[in-house]
Amino acid sequence: MLVVPSTMANEVPLNLTPGATEISQQVYDLHMTIFYICCAIGVIVFGAMFYSMLAHRKSKGAVAATFHESTKVEILWTLIPFLILIGMAIPATKTLIAMEDPSNSDITIQVTGSQWKWHYKYFDQDIEFFSLLSTTQEQIAGAEAKGEHYLLEVDKPLVIPTGKKVRFLMTSDDVIHSWWVPAFAVKKDANPGFINEAWTIVDEPGTYRGQCAELCGKDHGFMPIVVEVVTPEAFDVWVAEQQQAAADAAAEAAASLNQTLTMEESMTLGEQVYIARCAACHQPNGAGLPGVFPSLKKSPYILGDVAAHIDIVVNGQAGTAMQAFSGQLTAKEIAAVVTYERNAWGNDTGDLVQAADVAGGSGAEESAPQEQPATNLKPVTEAVVVTVEDVVEEVEEQLSDLSMDELMSKGEQVYMAQCVACHQPTGQGMPPAFPSLVGSPITVGDVAAHIDIVVKGKPGSAMMGYGQMLTATEIAAVVTYERNAWGNNTGDAVQPSQVHAAKSGQ
């Protein structure tokens, strides 16, 4: 059946679905409009062709015309398709313009893809978390029956309110991903080093599912998207719960630094973390995928220095697929997974890493029987005095003045690591979403205002505050770089002491 009533079209199994948003409905209506136009063209063209074949066949004595060209016919067969294309382009253009207009948004969420999970960051609510596939390995391996939402379920869904315009900023940590939720008519590539924008307004509460739609590596098919749409009141409650959970997690993480887990406790927790975070690359049995993801069995990293092992889990390894997990796992979880890797699959090093070892950036000593007391502990007062002196010395070093060359060199490094995704290597930005820094009133204007926006961010925009992410030296360096790169040439050399004063409100 080629043509069906519009009220029944969305029930045809092979047809598009109307979706859950106004934009998705516009896309559906546009699809049906173009479909009916194509059907009409097909009927007319094939009708004329079959009529000519039957009415002017040789058996009826038809004689072919002898003319070679007709100006009127050529004008008609040029003009009619042109008018048809114009008629199709007008509604299509309106829909495309609406799809690309994220202005006047109520909520801004940064969506970052990585192999193979999504990272969501709510700019105005100070909430961020990773969303991972929650389908069990037993279902994937076929050992259990597959659930209703097999490969389309996550541990932490994205939550947004109904009736609010939500703006998405898409980027990637590694390769190209694509954030696709069909019900929203949102499918936008997440490119490393770039920011793409999309938006949605959903009026009906519910659960909406999608997937990564760009082939991004081995576990591309294990990168689902789940969006929970709730009422504004329920969203406010969820925000409060998340903020409280973050505070509780921070308190628990701080408390864990004083905890000492047994080998059995560390191995149990470490296995859970490994299966959830590491098994996708290194395999559940630690064998990895040679040539792509190294084996952890008898690996030099696993059997070697503990501090180096902790460092690569915390900070990742540049130039490889090994991510930094410092922002994804707590010190307790990192300690547990390092302990697990060093004692699983026949490694059996006997090392027991504690959360304090991870937080302190030091390696763990080989595990000793719990009943053996440590004999090399310094008096508590002495340890505290040394720690305070170290901190004071570090702060004084960070606040010392740097030369212009030192500031520019370090500032370029910070800019390329933290700012280039939005403002581009040339400082040109991507107006209007991300303003240019070349000759900008911020970068060539008041130095204090420039420092303030880097430290605190700018409410209502994608500019986040870096006061807690960068040191005073790093902020001073990147502000200096922005004020003197790309022809700005203000000559300003911002020092860490100025940033420290801004952070302290002095």
Side-chain angles (χ1 to χ4, degrees), residues 195-234:
I195 298 287
N196 285 329
E197 292 185 278
W199 66 274
T200 191
I201 299 177
V202 187
D203 294 323
E204 293 296 326
T207 301
Y208 302 91
R209 302 178 189 273
Q211 294 173 296
C212 177
E214 184 70 35
L215 187 59
C216 58
K218 180 180 75 71
D219 279 4
H220 160 67
F222 303 92
M223 201 171 167
I225 301 160
V226 179
V227 183
E228 294 283 355
V229 182
V230 299
T231 64
E233 295 77 16

Side-chain angles (χ1 to χ4, degrees), residues 148-215:
E148 178 184 0
H149 302 297
Y150 176 68
L151 298 185
L152 290 175
E153 50 198 346
V154 298
D155 56 352
K156 293 183 180 179
L158 181 69
V159 179
I160 61 175
T162 57
K164 300 291 185 181
K165 187 169 186 177
V166 182
R167 174 191 180 205
F168 300 109
L169 302 177
M170 314 287 190
T171 189
S172 170
D173 281 336
D174 36 52
V175 299
I176 299 176
H177 302 276
S178 186
W179 200 82
W180 176 46
V181 180
F184 298 169
V186 174
K187 179 180 179 292
K188 189 69 68 171
D189 281 354
N191 300 315
F194 293 90
I195 298 287
N196 285 329
E197 292 185 278
W199 66 274
T200 191
I201 299 177
V202 187
D203 294 323
E204 293 296 326
T207 301
Y208 302 91
R209 302 178 189 273
Q211 294 173 296
C212 177
E214 184 70 35
L215 187 59

Side-chain angles (χ1 to χ4, degrees), residues 39-60:
C39 288
I41 292 173
V43 169
I44 293 171
V45 170
F46 281 96
M49 182 180 69
F50 286 121
Y51 171 78
S52 299
M53 291 169 62
L54 293 173
H56 303 288
R57 61 188 185 274
K58 183 178 180 180
S59 61
K60 294 188 65 174

Side-chain angles (χ1 to χ4, degrees), residues 73-152:
V73 171
E74 291 184 357
I75 291 175
L76 284 175
W77 73 34
T78 301
L79 184 60
I80 292 174
F82 175 76
L83 294 176
I84 292 173
L85 290 175
I86 292 296
M88 298 166 74
I90 291 174
T93 302
K94 288 181 178 179
T95 301
L96 287 173
I97 291 174
M99 292 175 70
E100 299 297 328
D101 179 22
S103 61
N104 301 318
S105 59
D106 300 298
I107 299 173
T108 299
I109 301 174
Q110 179 176 311
V111 180
T112 305
S114 60
Q115 294 174 317
W116 289 271
K117 52 185 168 284
W118 296 102
H119 179 210
Y120 299 116
K121 181 172 184 177
Y122 294 68
F123 280 176
D124 301 322
Q125 287 74 26
D126 194 26
I127 295 172
E128 60 180 304
F129 56 86
F130 286 85
S131 180
L132 290 83
L133 174 74
S134 62
T135 298
T136 64
Q137 289 295 322
E138 289 73 16
Q139 289 186 31
I140 294 173
E144 291 183 359
K146 293 176 171 53
E148 178 184 0
H149 302 297
Y150 176 68
L151 298 185
L152 290 175

